[in-house]
Amino acid sequence: MNVTTAMPAVPRPAPELIEAFRGASTSIISDNLARLPGAVGLRPFHKGGPLVGVAVTVRTRPGDNLAIHMALELVGPGDVIVVDGGGDESRALIGEIMLNIAKYRGAAGYVIDGAVRDAGALAESDFPIYARAAIHRGPYKSGPGEINVPVSIGGSVITPGDIVVGDEDGVVAFPQAIAPSLLEAVRAQIKREADILLSIREGRYQGSYGKS
């Protein structure tokens, strides 16, 4: 069956803008997005380390990874392969081989609303992978699918070119257009929370966190 591609490449912001979010936690980013966006139900399967990059999106039927293989032909440095697999956990959409294909093409990671396999190998890698579950059953490879269209990941809509950030708490994504103002707000909150932590250690805390 057919796999269609809405656009062969996604727009990318300046690399320094993307990298500026590397030290920001998803919880603080989420706070400054009115606590609305953010994929629910996904967890990291890799050894550790943050995910930061630009979304290349894939929508596929549950349990089928043909469209993911085709998307891997398009990815470049800093791309995050974001897969809407319908939340299905009955078949794995990627495993160790597809991890390595993405890694050696310079991709930044995977976000999969579905399952993975080879969990032991994934857990030994520092290549970021977020998914719902692990299962030994492999995927179909017959399609259909779509590449670089808006997708729903754990209840959160992610559009091609969105900036994607992941850490131990999960994954959040946001449009490039709001990234500069969001970064300013995130940095302000990081400073504010650092001041609160310092006040706690110094015995000066007076309940300001509950009012923020």
Side-chain angles (χ1 to χ4, degrees):
M1 301 181 96
N2 288 337
V3 173
T4 60
T5 301
M7 61 179 78
V10 297
R12 292 178 175 83
E16 56 267 25
L17 179 59
I18 300 174
E19 284 300 308
F21 284 95
R22 187 169 295 277
S25 69
T26 56
S27 59
I28 290 181
I29 294 172
S30 177
D31 284 353
N32 288 280
L33 292 170
R35 298 178 176 172
L36 291 175
V40 176
L42 275 62
R43 62 184 177 87
F45 278 81
H46 57 293
K47 180 168 58 178
L51 166 68
V52 183
V54 176
V56 170
T57 64
V58 179
R59 181 187 294 131
T60 186
R61 75 179 176 108
D64 192 294
N65 74 356
L66 177 63
I68 306 174
H69 280 282
M70 296 183 69
L72 285 170
E73 298 298 320
L74 304 176
V75 300
D79 288 340
V80 179
I81 304 110
V82 178
V83 182
D84 179 354
D88 178 71
E89 299 180 10
S90 66
R91 292 186 180 276
L93 292 177
I94 70 150
E96 183 178 12
I97 289 177
M98 292 180 74
L99 177 159
N100 279 278
I101 295 171
K103 179 177 180 179
Y104 287 101
R105 289 185 178 168
Y110 280 104
V111 174
I112 299 180
D113 198 348
V116 298
R117 67 177 180 179
D118 304 327
L122 272 54
E124 293 177 356
S125 172
D126 58 3
F127 187 77
I129 294 181
Y130 293 79
R132 286 194 174 273
I135 189 170
H136 56 83
R137 298 175 71 197
Y140 301 108
K141 300 178 184 293
S142 54
E146 297 173 284
I147 298 171
N148 283 335
V149 296
V151 294
S152 177
I153 306 294
S156 179
V157 175
I158 299 180
T159 299
D162 282 357
I163 296 175
V164 183
V165 181
D167 61 14
E168 297 87 350
D169 288 339
V171 176
V172 67
F174 48 88
Q176 294 182 26
I178 70 168
S181 59
L182 176 61
L183 180 61
E184 184 178 344
V186 165
R187 284 174 168 170
Q189 183 169 338
I190 290 173
K191 182 181 184 306
R192 185 166 63 250
E193 292 194 359
D195 290 343
I196 290 171
L197 289 170
L198 179 61
S199 74
I200 294 170
R201 291 193 296 271
E202 293 180 347
R204 299 183 288 103
Y205 176 69
Q206 294 182 350
S208 58
Y209 181 67
K211 301 171 186 177
S212 62

